[in-house]
Amino acid sequence: MRAARQARAALNRASRRAIMTAAVALGATLLMGSGAHAAPTVGQKAPDFVATDTRGQPHKLSDFAGKYVVLEWTNPGCPFVQKHYNSGNMPATQKAATAKGVVWLAINSTERASSDYLQPAALDNWLKERKAGPTATLMDPDGTIGQAYGARTTPHMFIIDPQGVLVYAGGIDSIASARQEDIKSATNYVNQALGEAFGGKAISAATTRAYGCSIKYKA
């Protein structure tokens, strides 16, 4: 009986490894039970997922338990994304967050058939040229993660607290335009939310309107 239990345990470990390997091979997979799941709202548990980054390394959201995590939906072909990267606003926001120990995951859910789609190496180079500072940039060409979170635009921002609960969802800032000159007058909602969270305060604007280009999801 002891040998049988040990054999079953070994089989379970092997099965888990096989599932993780298959998930990474697919590019992005939710680590959830079967069936449809509505996008989470602020105050609910953030869906777990595993995805590969632009350098081929796997990342699992739940591995960052105990830390704040920012999810940023991005697409270099979008003028609104270009506004925040070419001005240096998004890289500065990323670096300010990661300097506090926040994990920043940029996510590209653009489908492969879209004219905006960039191969991982090209996307990585685009970010390097703009001195971006995310912890990792994840590829989600099938839209699995984006649709699970209800991400609609690029950029669309989400913040997850150390307990894995969604505490912010919305725009990067308060002025919905593609003009760089508007950045200095706008409230940066991500900086504000993280500042309040680290200061032990409730997030004053936990849900805001996301603006930008529509995400080019796979049909």
Side-chain angles (χ1 to χ4, degrees):
M1 289 180 67
R2 185 182 298 111
R5 286 195 296 270
Q6 290 172 343
R8 283 195 297 271
L11 181 59
N12 288 337
R13 288 194 297 271
S15 297
R16 286 194 294 271
R17 286 195 298 270
I19 290 170
M20 184 70 170
T21 301
V24 170
L26 287 172
T29 300
L30 287 183
L31 301 181
M32 307 170 72
S34 60
H37 293 265
T41 59
V42 167
Q44 294 181 334
K45 195 77 171 177
D48 198 8
F49 60 80
V50 59
T52 54
D53 65 20
T54 51
R55 302 176 186 182
Q57 296 301 309
H59 297 272
K60 183 180 177 185
L61 178 63
S62 55
D63 285 344
F64 302 116
K67 297 184 177 181
Y68 280 95
V69 178
V70 173
L71 305 182
E72 169 214 345
W73 262 264
T74 190
N75 168 17
C78 172
F80 295 90
V81 171
Q82 293 168 10
K83 162 193 173 180
H84 289 289
Y85 274 94
N86 293 343
S87 66
N89 184 52
M90 191 67 80
T93 305
Q94 293 167 341
K95 291 171 184 177
T98 56
K100 296 178 180 179
V102 175
V103 173
W104 189 295
L105 302 176
I107 302 174
N108 191 326
S109 295
T110 305
E111 69 160 319
R112 293 181 179 89
S114 171
S115 59
D116 279 354
Y117 178 77
L118 291 180
Q119 293 290 339
L123 176 56
D124 202 43
N125 287 335
W126 188 88
L127 293 167
K128 281 182 180 177
E129 288 170 358
R130 285 151 185 82
K131 298 180 172 59
T135 305
T137 302
L138 308 182
M139 303 301 293
D140 179 38
D142 292 332
T144 305
I145 304 172
Q147 290 175 350
Y149 277 82
R152 300 184 305 277
T153 63
T154 52
H156 198 160
M157 314 298 299
F158 299 83
I159 300 176
I160 301 164
D161 74 7
Q163 289 72 48
V165 174
L166 190 65
V167 294
Y168 176 79
I172 176 66
D173 67 19
S174 60
I175 299 181
S177 85
R179 298 184 299 271
Q180 291 188 26
E181 57 267 28
D182 287 333
I183 292 173
K184 62 180 178 293
S185 303
T187 298
N188 186 314
Y189 287 132
V190 173
N191 281 342
Q192 176 178 277
L194 288 173
E196 290 171 341
F198 277 94
K201 301 177 182 178
I203 294 174
S204 56
T207 304
T208 66
R209 183 170 70 89
Y211 70 89
C213 304
S214 61
I215 295 177
K216 311 308 189 286
Y217 280 121
K218 183 178 180 180

